[in-house]
Every structure is written in structure tokens, then in C-alpha cells.
Amino acid sequence: MRGRRALIERAALVERALAVVNGVPAGTGSAGAGRAVGPSPLRADAWLAAAAALLAVALGMSVEDGRHLDALGWTLLLAAQVPLVWRRRSPLLALLAVVLCVVPYHGLDYTHSAAVPVAMIALYTVAANGTARRTVLTGASVVGVTLFVNALENPHQVAEILRISGWIVSVLLLGGYIRVHRQYIASALERAERAERTREEEARRRVAEERLRIARDLHDLLAHSITLIGVQTSVAAHVLAADPDRLDRTAVAKALDDIADTCRTARGELRTTLEVLREEDAQEGRGPLPGLHGLPDLAETARAAGAKVDLAVDAVEVPAAVGAAAYRIVQEALTNAVRHGGREGLTVRVEVCDGEDALRVRVTDDGAGVGEGTPGFGLVGMRERARSVGGTVDAGPLPGEGYEVSAVLPMRRDET
């Protein structure tokens, strides 16, 4: 993340440094849309035209490589600087306007060096803002005309002709290089920002998944524990109210001990779950996942609530995620059976077996089913648990009476 931000900052600095000479104002383009950096392009080009005019005046007054400038010479020389103000908006038109002023200027044999900067700036702008094809065509045209004119006027000065052509080609190559470099910077900015957005979206997705996981864990834990505590409290209240004269202190103490054990277990699991929110690294904060080894404790807790639980586990090694999903599905199924069984002596059978490339979970009871109350998140949570490992869950009443929850959880032996 820091590397991408550093790349964005470095590219932005380079983009600003090239803003005046590359023909595109800083902060524009696909990678920098909406970010206005520095003065407007028109104002910057106006300052550039003024600087070029001052340089031309200085060269015209100090260099003697032609006729001394008179009123017409000064007019042509200064007029050639004006099109630079619009060089970014219309590079070719600006070059044409400069040529229309410079050609008669050189034709009248005024100080030639004074008109060189404005011509080079116009050529550079065309190369830096156009395509490679347009740059080649422009360069070929300018070089061809220059060679033709100089060959007619000075056929014996081959070195001078080559020197002029070399400067023209060099300026065009520089403009082409700046154009390619600017495109690379824009592409790098776009890639970096796209990667940053992708990383942020991935982080948000992981946060959402982690919040959903914690919500499922809290629902499974609290729904299971609170349901069992309610049942155990009802048992204790029934023992106290059944026959006060012959109070069964042993039964009351056992019911209260069961409630205390359930509270301690719930508190421990709740602490393990909430540690995720306090750890910088979520993997370190999760602690060991529940698995098939915890099923006997779930069965014992349900027995303490008054249900008869028959547990059969025929699986040894399963992936941690699959084992956790199976644990939560059995936990929710037992909770629903105890809560909605509606009868004393409720019998629940839990079967967990290792089938062909899948762990099969089946929980059946002989109670009244889920009833007609307000539906909760239990069945939804079981299906989400199964989907998290690529499995499915089916739940529904049995013929006659009773309820069944069955799950198929695919296993990948190479994952742990």
C-alpha cells in the first residue's frame, strides 16, 4: 500500500514538472481527472510566450548573424511569439502561424538566431501533443522545406544545412520522448490508483465477511446458551414449585450447577469470539475453531436441559472449516430441538459420518418441530455455514411428528 502511494506521489511530481512543456495541463487525463494543479494552460502558455519574446529580443540585439532588425523585422519576430499562447489548444495551427512569420523573417535575412527559439518551441509542442505519425509527417515537411530553401540560397554550405536539420530532428525526438513518458506516467498512475481501489474493495469485502462470521458465531453461541439456560431455569423453578414440603435439594443444586456451567462455557466462547475485534491480525485473534471434538459437550449440554441425545460420530479427520461448520449446524439443530420440542423426554439423534468426499450431518428429533412463532436466523445461519464450505442444508418436519436437519459438507483433504 505504501509502495503504491509512493508511486502515485512520484508520478504526480513528474507530471507537475512536465506540465508546462508537455502540452497537457497537470492533473488532467484518465489518471488525474478532476485535479487542477498549478495555473491554467492558457496563462502558463502566455508566460511562456512572454519569456520566448524576451529571449528573442535579447538575441536580436546581441547576436549578429544577419541584417540588423528594423521595424518590419521586429514586427515579424514579435508576431511569431504570439501563437505560442494557443500552442496547447491547436498545436498545428500555432506552428503554421509561427512559420508564416518566421519564413519571411529568414527570407529577409534578419538575425536568424533570434527566431530559432520560437520555432523550436512550436515544433516541440506538435511532437509532444500529437501522434507519432503526425510528428513524422510534420518533421519531414519542415526538414524538407528547410533543406530545399537552404539548398537554393546556400548550396555550398552543407554543414549549415545539416546543423539546422539536426536541431529540428532533435527537438522532434525530444517531444516524442516526452509524449511517450507522459503516457507512461498516466498509465502508471491509473494502474496504481486501480490497484489501490481494488485493495480497498478487497479490504472492505473481507471486513464484511468477518463481520458476518462474527454475527453468525454470536448468534449460534447466544441462541444456544440462552435457550439452555432458559430450559434449565424452568427445570429448577418446576422442582421448587412442585412440592415445597419435600424439596429435592439435589435436583435443584444440579439444575443450578448446569446453569452455571452453561454460563461459563458461553462466557469462554464469547471471549474467544470477541478477541477478533481486539487483535490487529484476525488470524491470531480467532483461536482454535470448534470442531467435531466439541460435539460430545453439545450433547451433554442438551441432556442437561432434559433432552435424550443419542450421538454417533463416524469421522476422524476433517478440514477445520468443515468441522466448524458441522459443529455450528449441530449446535443450532440441538438448540431448536430443545426450544421447540414441546414435550418431556424429547429424544434427539445426531449422526455425523464421513461419506464419499463429504461429511454428512443428520439431526432428528421426535418433538413438535419449529412451531408457529416468529422465524429467527437459525435456519439461515445453518445454510450460510454450509455454503461457506460449499455444502447444503435441508430442514423440515418429519411425517407424523418430529423434525430433521440434514447437511452435506464437501471435504477437500488437502485443505486444513
Side-chain angles (χ1 to χ4, degrees):
M1 179 174 172
R2 292 181 179 176
R4 295 192 185 103
R5 289 180 177 173
L7 175 59
I8 293 175
E9 293 174 358
R10 289 197 299 270
L13 290 176
V14 174
E15 186 183 20
R16 294 177 187 177
L18 297 176
V20 176
V21 295
N22 63 13
V24 174
T28 62
S30 60
R35 297 179 303 191
V37 180
S40 66
L42 187 62
R43 183 180 303 176
D45 289 338
W47 282 107
L48 179 63
L54 291 177
L55 178 59
V57 170
L59 292 174
M61 297 178 62
S62 60
V63 178
E64 296 182 2
D65 57 353
R67 291 174 50 192
H68 289 290
L69 293 171
D70 53 17
L72 179 59
W74 284 114
T75 300
L76 292 173
L77 181 62
L78 294 178
Q81 319 300 318
V82 177
L84 295 182
V85 177
W86 297 279
R87 69 185 186 94
R88 303 194 194 192
R89 294 185 178 180
S90 302
L92 284 177
L93 292 179
L95 176 62
L96 181 60
V98 170
V99 170
L100 291 177
C101 295
V102 168
V103 168
Y105 178 89
H106 287 297
L108 295 173
D109 197 27
Y110 288 114
T111 304
H112 298 286
S113 299
V116 170
V118 64
M120 295 304 171
I121 293 175
L123 287 171
Y124 167 84
T125 302
V126 171
N129 289 272
T131 61
R133 181 180 179 182
R134 190 172 74 176
T135 301
V136 171
L137 293 177
T138 302
S141 301
V142 173
V143 171
V145 172
T146 302
L147 290 176
F148 179 76
V149 173
N150 281 274
L152 292 178
E153 294 184 356
N154 304 306
H156 302 294
Q157 296 184 1
V158 179
E160 181 67 16
I161 296 174
L162 293 177
R163 182 178 65 84
I164 295 174
S165 302
W167 276 107
I168 295 174
V169 173
S170 298
V171 170
L172 292 174
L173 288 177
L174 176 62
Y177 169 78
I178 294 299
R179 182 187 69 250
V180 173
H181 185 68
R182 186 176 68 240
Q183 293 172 351
Y184 169 76
I185 291 296
S187 176
L189 280 170
E190 184 178 1
R191 288 196 303 270
E193 292 182 354
R194 189 188 307 118
E196 188 72 15
R197 288 194 301 270
T198 302
R199 188 182 187 282
E200 292 174 356
E201 291 171 359
E202 178 66 15
R204 286 194 293 268
R205 184 187 65 81
R206 291 186 178 182
V207 168
E209 290 179 353
E210 188 65 18
R211 290 177 61 185
L212 180 60
R213 188 191 69 83
I214 293 173
R216 287 197 299 258
D217 285 343
L218 291 177
H219 171 269
D220 294 341
L221 169 65
L222 296 179
H224 178 74
S225 300
I226 292 174
T227 297
L228 294 182
I229 290 173
V231 172
Q232 292 162 347
T233 303
S234 299
V235 171
H238 175 74
V239 171
L240 290 173
D243 192 352
D245 296 332
R246 294 187 299 174
L247 182 62
D248 190 347
R249 297 181 180 274
T250 302
V252 173
K254 184 179 184 304
L256 295 178
D257 287 340
D258 291 339
I259 293 174
D261 291 340
T262 303
C263 290
R264 281 192 296 269
T265 302
R267 185 169 60 250
E269 291 190 23
L270 183 62
R271 182 185 300 110
T272 301
T273 302
L274 294 181
E275 280 178 357
V276 177
L277 303 177
R278 297 188 177 93
E279 293 288 342
E280 295 182 358
D281 187 352
Q283 296 295 336
E284 295 179 359
R286 288 186 180 182
L289 292 174
L292 301 184
H293 59 276
L295 295 182
D297 293 335
L298 290 180
E300 189 63 31
T301 304
R303 293 188 186 103
K308 299 178 180 178
V309 180
D310 182 10
L311 176 64
V313 178
D314 185 14
V316 181
E317 294 183 1
V318 298
V322 175
Y327 178 90
R328 293 303 185 188
I329 291 172
V330 172
Q331 183 182 50
E332 183 63 30
L334 288 175
T335 300
N336 290 339
V338 172
R339 179 189 300 173
H340 304 293
R343 61 195 286 290
E344 295 183 1
L346 175 71
T347 301
V348 183
R349 178 168 180 79
V350 179
E351 299 177 0
V352 180
C353 62
D354 187 355
E356 296 180 358
D357 297 328
L359 185 69
R360 301 183 182 275
V361 179
R362 185 168 179 264
V363 181
T364 58
D365 65 71
D366 57 0
V370 296
E372 301 296 332
T374 302
F377 297 99
L379 295 178
V380 175
M382 284 192 288
R383 292 192 175 97
E384 288 178 349
R385 291 287 183 182
R387 281 200 301 268
S388 67
V389 294
T392 58
V393 167
D394 293 322
L398 294 172
E401 63 178 10
Y403 201 82
E404 179 183 77
V405 175
S406 62
V408 179
L409 309 177
M411 292 191 296
R412 298 176 177 85
R413 296 295 183 178
D414 55 341
E415 294 181 4
T416 57

